[in-house]
């Protein structure tokens, strides 16, 4: 089992920034892909970004390229999502996920955190 705990969400004005964190514990060595997904009210959960835990390769959804950056601190088993130039449409619950292959597909990720709310509003 892998446990994931997100933090860092909150209320921010349009154009602002937030940094999300996700601390992983448990059998973290069994997974090699970690990602961020989000779910807005009334919408399906969607892929945001993912990173190869060992190699560092990344993948992003088109709508966040150039604005969001995914990174990890392997020593601290922590995943990050730096979000800049935030827009109201970025408002959602953001979830951390762990799996085996970097793919923008929900079903590829076996472990999920509880989510952290991000609200972009003036």
């Amino acid at each position: 089992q892998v446990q994931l705990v997100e933090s860092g969400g909150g209320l921010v004005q349009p154009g602002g920034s937030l940094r999300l964190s996700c601390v992983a514990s448990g059998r973290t060595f069994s997974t090699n892909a970690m990602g961020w997904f989000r779910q807005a009210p009334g919408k399906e959960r969607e892929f945001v970004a993912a990173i190869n835990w060992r190699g560092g390769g990344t993948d992003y959804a088109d709508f966040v390229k150039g604005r969001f950056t995914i990174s990890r601190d392997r020593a601290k088993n922590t995943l990050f999502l730096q979000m800049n130039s935030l827009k109201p449409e970025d408002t959602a619950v953001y979830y951390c996920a762990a799996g085996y292959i970097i793919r923008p597909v929900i079903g590829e990720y076996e472990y999920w955190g509880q989510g952290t709310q991000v609200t972009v509003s003036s």
Side-chain angles (χ1 to χ4, degrees):
Q1 293 289 331
V2 176
Q3 293 79 44
L4 304 172
V5 179
E6 304 97 333
S7 62
L11 173 64
V12 62
Q13 293 187 342
S17 299
L18 279 176
R19 189 193 197 200
L20 305 183
S21 299
C22 172
V23 178
S25 60
R27 298 174 59 86
T28 56
F29 57 85
S30 66
T31 59
N32 191 42
M34 291 194 72
W36 291 97
F37 289 75
R38 70 185 187 184
Q39 188 166 17
K43 296 187 176 181
E44 294 187 351
R45 193 170 298 189
E46 63 182 355
F47 171 76
V48 175
I51 188 167
N52 180 296
W53 192 253
R54 297 182 181 88
T58 58
D59 188 22
Y60 293 92
D62 287 343
F63 56 78
V64 301
K65 286 181 179 178
R67 299 190 298 127
F68 293 8
T69 302
I70 189 171
S71 62
R72 87 280 195 229
D73 183 330
R74 293 177 61 185
K76 296 182 178 180
N77 280 343
T78 302
L79 178 72
F80 302 101
L81 185 67
Q82 178 66 43
M83 305 186 295
N84 299 329
S85 302
L86 283 161
K87 306 174 182 179
E89 51 264 44
D90 294 318
T91 295
V93 177
Y94 283 71
Y95 296 91
C96 172
Y100 307 98
I101 301 174
I102 296 179
R103 289 192 64 196
V105 176
I106 292 175
E108 291 288 350
Y109 295 82
E110 183 171 354
Y111 304 101
W112 293 83
Q114 292 300 306
T116 184
Q117 176 70 47
V118 171
T119 302
V120 185
S121 175
S122 55

